[in-house]
Amino acid sequence: MVVVAEFCQRQHWEPIVLKRVDVIPKNSGKNAERNLELKEIIFVIQSQSQYFHKKKAEDLKENILKQAAGISKEPPRVLYLHEVMKNEGAWTILPVIPHFADSYGNSSSWIFFCEEDTTVRLQKLLDTLQTFDKSKNWFLGKALHDEESTIIHHYAFAENPSVFKYPDFAAGWALSMPLVKRLAYVLKNEPPNSDFTIDLKHEIALYIWQKADGQALTPVPAFCTYNPDSTKATNCATTFNGSLPLCGNPVNKDDIFVAIKTCRKFHKDRIPVVKKTWEKDAVHFEYYSDYADDTIPTVDLGIPNVERGHCGKTFAILERFLRSTTPRTYWLIIVDDDTLISLSRLRKLLSCYDPNESIFLGERYGYGLGARGYSYITGGGGMVFSRKMVRKILNSKCRCYSNDAPDDMVLGMCASGLGIPVIHSPLFHQARPMDYPSDYLSHQVPISFHKYWNIDPVKVYYTWLIPEDKEDLRANKHLREDL
């Protein structure tokens, strides 16, 4: 029997049992219709509206259309996901599936999704899709699976996590139009019932499996995440540039202020880890606690400690950041005392963003996006604010409804109310490295991880968030793809 744990409320999971559904064997491809044309493929780039991300999506679209001009007289449609529908939850994809079915159901055979940094080799992709019967239901991608049951997937399939496969978005993934139409019908009658969107790729695969008679992901070897220049990528239809973004010089250390949230009971356990790892890379930083300890030192913000949420403390940090009591910097980073972060990598990433814009950056989650909800940056992986964003939040009427309200979610509501989209980076992580498939992390240069539970956090830091000189060696030689 397969057991799936489904999210019931924030930080509470209650297991439910799903009925086992035997997957009907699918067409092997030998008799597949092979008259697929480029114009039958809808390319959807999982884009974001912020300039840096939109520019990458535009470059990818231009490259796809340039390749198409040498293959066919009729080019494919290439869409930006953030422009498909004016919907806060469009990035979660399922809400726009009915739109794809209604708008392209009679003229297209495939919807192919990819990320901004995915490289598409168009002829190889066309040849790959030709091997599948476009009149059948297909869910194609590079398969990932959990190596152990994990909190980020609500401990789904706890008896055997590896049995359930879900797509690595970086390699691209595809839905045949018959499956799109079927999902559209289901979605109109049974919208997803989970309040939270945490790991989209897993949640989409689970929804398809549950609602389409056990439709499983079909692994496609040609969908790859090797570096485009790798010899391993020769037969790949897709590849992925997993190098750390860098747009000019890294942000100066003096331009970043780091706020570490802690409390008295963790002073002896957690703060020594921060001091052994990443604190040395910070020029401006303060520890914020419920107790002033001169040996660390910590700053008592006058906010009593609470067991969860910490919204009162976070807003006190935002207010202090704008006062003369802290150095005037362009950027504010708020982390937990059990967050492991590479500030040197973050400085490179921030070179791609304008601090004079309203920037709110990190790992994006969603709440209630099926019913006028909002996106938010999950706090454990680190929340990055431009000074302008902090000022906009505090100038608004958005505030905590209690000291123990979830700070990251309240800030997401604030951003949504201001009409400012949060910016997602998959390089920030709310959980530990072992909570993610190793194949998924192998094409990343991660910026952060969270939680010290059942790990040696110092070892994790020096394994995954290595200092600058080793990082450059690792990234330049693409060593991750050989892990």
Side-chain angles (χ1 to χ4, degrees):
M1 185 174 292
V2 176
V3 178
V4 176
E6 188 170 280
F7 199 85
C8 296
Q9 59 183 346
R10 184 173 172 82
Q11 296 185 340
H12 175 71
W13 292 265
E14 183 175 314
I16 61 172
V17 177
L18 291 182
K19 180 180 178 181
R20 181 186 292 277
V21 179
D22 293 326
V23 179
I24 300 173
K26 296 185 171 52
N27 189 304
S28 66
K30 292 181 180 179
N31 299 318
E33 297 182 20
R34 297 180 179 274
N35 59 338
L36 182 68
E37 298 181 50
L38 273 181
K39 65 180 181 179
E40 298 176 64
I41 306 173
I42 305 294
F43 288 85
V44 180
I45 303 173
Q46 293 173 233
S47 55
Q48 301 184 69
S49 60
Q50 194 275 334
Y51 174 78
F52 167 62
H53 294 275
K54 186 176 180 181
K55 180 63 167 61
K56 288 199 294 182
E58 290 171 346
D59 290 344
L60 176 55
K61 177 177 180 177
E62 181 180 353
N63 180 270
I64 290 171
L65 294 178
K66 184 177 180 180
Q67 291 183 65
I71 298 173
S72 172
K73 292 182 179 179
E74 297 187 69
R77 295 181 181 89
V78 184
L79 309 177
Y80 303 131
L81 183 58
H82 77 275
E83 293 182 352
V84 169
M85 290 179 65
K86 299 300 181 183
N87 183 318
E88 176 90 17
W91 65 271
T92 63
I93 295 174
L94 289 178
V96 300
I97 290 293
H99 169 78
F100 290 141
D102 293 341
S103 299
Y104 308 111
N106 296 326
S107 60
S108 301
S109 300
W110 293 92
I111 307 288
F112 180 81
F113 299 88
C114 58
E115 294 191 340
E116 300 160 349
D117 292 312
T118 305
T119 299
V120 178
R121 296 173 176 174
L122 205 56
Q123 185 62 61
K124 287 185 179 294
L125 177 63
L126 183 63
D127 294 342
T128 299
L129 293 180
Q130 291 270 20
T131 64
F132 297 92
D133 185 345
K134 63 187 181 183
S135 69
K136 306 294 185 182
N137 291 339
W138 291 105
F139 176 26
L140 310 178
K142 175 191 171 185
L144 298 173
H145 65 82
D146 292 345
E147 291 153 21
E148 57 184 64
S149 61
T150 172
I151 190 171
I152 60 174
H153 295 156
H154 320 150
Y155 298 108
F157 302 96
E159 292 181 356
N160 184 8
S162 65
V163 73
F164 185 72
K165 306 297 190 296
Y166 51 97
D168 190 335
F169 285 171
W173 56 289
L175 300 175
S176 63
M177 191 54 70
L179 181 56
V180 171
K181 290 180 178 179
R182 177 166 188 172
L183 291 173
Y185 175 81
V186 174
L187 283 161
K188 289 175 182 178
N189 295 280
E190 297 181 60
N193 58 11
S194 175
D195 287 335
F196 286 84
T197 302
I198 292 177
D199 186 6
L200 181 62
K201 55 189 179 292
H202 186 276
E203 289 157 20
I204 284 178
L206 186 60
Y207 186 85
I208 293 173
W209 185 80
Q210 290 175 321
K211 302 300 182 182
D213 294 333
Q215 179 78 44
L217 177 74
T218 298
V220 178
F223 290 0
C224 309
T225 53
Y226 299 126
N227 187 278
D229 299 325
S230 171
T231 56
K232 295 182 178 181
T234 303
N235 297 317
C236 293
T238 62
T239 56
F240 185 74
N241 182 4
S243 60
L244 192 68
L246 180 63
C247 307
N249 295 324
V251 167
N252 194 294
K253 289 183 178 182
D254 283 319
D255 290 333
I256 295 176
F257 184 86
V258 186
I260 305 110
K261 295 185 298 179
T262 188
C263 63
R264 187 174 186 175
K265 69 177 180 178
F266 293 134
H267 286 186
K268 293 183 179 180
D269 296 331
R270 295 183 179 179
I271 291 179
V273 174
V274 178
K275 289 184 176 294
K276 288 178 183 177
T277 55
W278 58 266
E279 185 202 81
K280 61 183 178 297
D281 293 325
V283 174
H284 306 298
F285 61 92
E286 285 184 335
Y287 292 90
Y288 296 110
S289 181
D290 56 339
Y291 175 73
D293 185 339
D294 293 338
T295 65
I296 296 175
T298 61
V299 176
D300 182 358
L301 293 170
I303 305 293
N305 188 54
V306 291
E307 288 300 316
R308 62 183 63 191
H310 308 290
C311 192
K313 180 182 291 183
T314 297
F315 269 76
I317 290 171
L318 297 179
E319 291 167 356
R320 183 177 174 88
F321 177 69
L322 294 185
R323 295 200 297 262
S324 59
T325 47
T326 60
R328 183 178 176 82
T329 62
Y330 288 115
W331 298 101
L332 169 66
I333 320 299
I334 300 181
V335 296
D336 293 344
D337 54 8
D338 58 348
T339 299
L340 296 169
I341 189 165
S342 171
L343 293 179
S344 62
R345 294 179 184 176
L346 179 58
R347 288 171 50 229
K348 289 184 178 181
L349 178 64
L350 289 182
S351 70
C352 298
Y353 299 95
D354 184 351
N356 295 311
E357 294 181 358
S358 299
I359 304 294
F360 186 15
L361 168 71
E363 183 181 16
R364 178 180 56 192
Y365 280 8
Y367 176 73
L369 289 172
R372 297 184 180 181
Y374 54 89
S375 305
Y376 63 98
I377 298 300
T378 182
M383 298 183 289
V384 181
F385 305 81
S386 63
R387 178 171 288 272
K388 183 174 181 179
M389 185 68 193
V390 174
R391 186 176 293 111
K392 280 199 171 183
I393 292 171
L394 294 181
N395 285 344
S396 73
K397 295 181 180 180
C398 189
R399 291 294 184 273
C400 304
Y401 51 84
S402 66
N403 280 338
D404 65 350
D407 56 353
D408 49 5
M409 297 180 72
V410 170
L411 287 165
M413 284 190 285
C414 294
S416 178
L418 290 166
I420 300 172
V422 302
I423 302 170
H424 173 66
S425 170
L427 306 182
F428 296 80
H429 300 88
Q430 172 69 12
R432 309 163 301 164
M434 58 283 302
D435 292 313
Y436 304 89
S438 56
D439 199 21
Y440 172 71
L441 294 179
S442 70
H443 56 73
Q444 284 192 356
V445 183
I447 285 175
S448 70
F449 291 104
H450 182 226
K451 296 292 186 187
Y452 296 169
W453 180 64
N454 279 359
I455 63 170
D456 178 344
V458 176
K459 183 178 180 180
V460 167
Y461 175 79
Y462 282 102
T463 300
W464 291 97
L465 304 168
I466 43 186
E468 188 75 11
D469 54 344
K470 294 182 181 179
E471 173 201 295
D472 286 344
L473 177 64
R474 188 176 186 135
N476 291 340
K477 293 188 177 181
H478 312 302
L479 296 182
R480 284 194 176 276
E481 67 183 41
D482 296 322
L483 290 177

